Amino acid sequence: MPATHSDHSSIVVAVDGPSGSGKSSVSRGIARRLGLRYLDTGSMYRALAWWMTEQGIDVHDQAAVATACREPLIEAGTDPEAPTITVDGRDVSGPIRTREVTAVVSPVSAIPAVRTRLVALQREVIGAGGIVVEGRDIGTVVAPDAAAKIFLTALPEVRAQRRAAELGADTAVDASITLTELRNRDAIDTQRAASPLLKAADAVEIDATELGLDEVIEAAVDVVLTRTAR
């Protein structure tokens, strides 16, 4: 990955937003442009949810999940060109992106013990900074002192189309199913008691509904450069 620019060597950029808003692509684009590391916190929650299903743990049994969440070793690589996610040394970047994992990640993520453990891991990765971190509670909980905060959003229908495409779906029926799933996940993420999805008071909102990826990245980089120039 490119060397980190000295002016950005200790900054933290927080990118939050709902499912399907384009956080991963935009965050990686910011990291590439500014020579920063990149952390996808969502992949960590997905990895834990995947592990729970592999172990046969009922993800709706909060006590069981809270106890078991301490067990697996979850590691996320921070190269924006090739981010990685492993569980106990196994590459799970493919398995965690299935519709089955997507269906259970929100219930797992809503459990306070899960968030406590993974937020601690995320802060370890963030360390001294020089990183773009994406998720749902980065600017409010994980890194509330981030130098630049971006809240990325788009209309639900647009987000559903993008997510369906990521899953390899190309029919109106698949997009409709994805929209229902996305709205259910939005409801869980915004209403959970532990670290709900919220726009930080000092975050800059970018609506990507009618913008192309390059346009969103450009707008996001402008936010970062403006905030860090102060």
Side-chain angles (χ1 to χ4, degrees):
M1 73 182 274
T4 302
H5 191 290
S6 59
D7 289 345
H8 303 133
S9 60
S10 63
I11 69 167
V12 176
V13 179
V15 181
D16 290 306
S19 178
S21 57
K23 296 187 301 295
S24 295
S25 298
V26 173
S27 297
R28 291 174 68 182
I30 298 169
R32 291 190 192 101
R33 282 280 302 274
L34 300 179
L36 302 173
R37 296 180 297 136
Y38 159 74
L39 177 61
D40 174 6
T41 64
S43 70
M44 301 174 77
Y45 287 100
R46 284 177 170 273
L48 187 58
W50 170 85
W51 181 86
M52 293 286 173
T53 60
E54 286 290 295
Q55 300 300 310
I57 297 169
D58 180 358
V59 298
H60 299 289
D61 184 338
Q62 293 195 16
V65 172
T67 298
C69 74
R70 307 181 184 97
E71 297 180 26
L73 174 63
I74 298 173
E75 297 180 298
T78 59
D79 182 347
E81 299 295 345
T84 58
I85 182 72
T86 63
V87 178
D88 295 329
R90 175 181 173 181
D91 178 3
V92 295
S93 55
I96 67 170
R97 299 296 172 183
T98 63
R99 179 164 264 145
E100 290 73 23
V101 172
T102 297
V104 299
V105 66
S106 283
V108 171
S109 301
I111 296 173
V114 168
R115 302 204 74 84
T116 296
R117 190 202 170 197
L118 292 188
V119 167
L121 290 178
Q122 291 154 16
R123 287 174 174 164
E124 286 181 14
V125 176
I126 292 170
I131 192 167
V132 180
V133 189
E134 61 142 307
R136 286 166 173 72
D137 62 347
I138 311 306
T140 55
V141 175
V142 179
D145 296 327
K149 300 178 184 179
I150 295 163
F151 192 85
L152 186 61
T153 189
L155 289 176
E157 292 78 8
V158 173
R159 293 190 283 122
Q161 290 170 0
R162 293 171 180 169
R163 180 50 54 87
E166 289 175 6
L167 294 170
D170 57 4
T171 68
V173 173
D174 286 329
S176 176
I177 292 172
T178 302
L179 177 59
T180 299
E181 294 172 341
L182 184 148
R183 282 177 167 155
N184 289 339
R185 187 167 184 195
D186 284 351
I188 294 173
D189 289 345
T190 56
Q191 296 171 19
R192 66 181 179 229
S195 304
L197 169 63
L198 294 172
K199 175 186 172 185
D202 53 346
V204 175
E205 182 170 329
I206 297 177
D207 188 331
T209 300
E210 297 182 0
L211 299 177
L213 176 59
D214 289 342
E215 293 175 300
V216 180
I217 292 173
E218 191 66 33
V221 169
D222 285 345
V223 170
V224 176
L225 294 179
T226 298
R227 289 295 178 89
T228 57
R230 294 178 179 176

